[in-house]
Amino acid sequence: MAKILVLFAHPLLEKSRVHSKLAAAAKKVKGVTFHDLYEEYPDFDIDVNEEKELLLAHDIIVLQHPFYWYSAPPIIKQWLDLVLEYGWAYGRGGVALTGKFVLQVVSAGGKQELYSPEGRNRFTFRQFLTPFEQSFRLCHMEYLSPYVIHGTHRLSITEIAEVAAGYAQLLTALQTGQIQPEQLAGENYIDGVKGLIALNNSLHEQ
Ligand SMILES: Cc1cc2nc3c(=O)[nH]c(=O)nc-3n(C[C@H](O)[C@H](O)[C@H](O)COP(=O)(O)O)c2cc1C
């Protein structure tokens, strides 16, 4: 059984339409450790030792957050800056996280077609996530194809419920070994709205 840690960051959860449902669904998945960074550290005073212990105790690290200004809410940056220490996570002797997997789960207001060289956002979504991907790779971790939920403003309550169910299914499949994390490797990303259909298709294409 893979041990999964969800590192969750949403600064305004009470106003969230998407992540409130995704978080509730993830919390119900047996064997998943759900760790809400804003709840735990409202003053950004991150307990580095506790975070390191959590990382060491899990195999798959899920980074779940909304896409803010082409990036992530600020506590994620604080977490990266403080927890992924030189000599522990990277650099000389920094091998503590070697071989662990990272799955980034991101929601974005912008629709998929806006994230292309021709679209308003000029770059692909995957390109915007490059600093995350490379940071984790520097820490000898395997960065999986991110799970992206596009066009959040237009998603209906029913669609959000379906996305949340798909997310929970993905976590369950990873936890039980029905899906091996290696199967989610690759250069693209998984469309969370199309959910497991997209996931199955991308698995078959490999
Ligand atoms: C401060 C802020 C910055 C945002 N930046 C982006 C952005 O760069 N690109 C994008 O597609 N959506 C952006 N959005 C939209 C959010 O990604 C979207 O509202 C969120 O994923 C919906 O999830 P929620 O209902 O859980 O809040 C931004 C929203 C806020 C509040």
Side-chain angles (χ1 to χ4, degrees), residues 26 32 67 143 199:
V32 166
F67 200 47
Y143 185 86
L199 178 61

Side-chain angles (χ1 to χ4, degrees), residues 67 69-70 108-125 127-128 150-154:
F67 200 47
W69 284 107
Y70 303 105
K111 294 206 292 190
Q112 184 176 15
E113 48 271 33
L114 298 180
Y115 286 93
S116 75
E118 301 76 34
R120 195 173 62 201
N121 295 315
R122 298 183 51 238
F123 300 94
T124 67
F125 204 80
Q127 282 172 316
F128 284 113
H150 274 295
T152 54
H153 305 308
R154 285 163 191 250

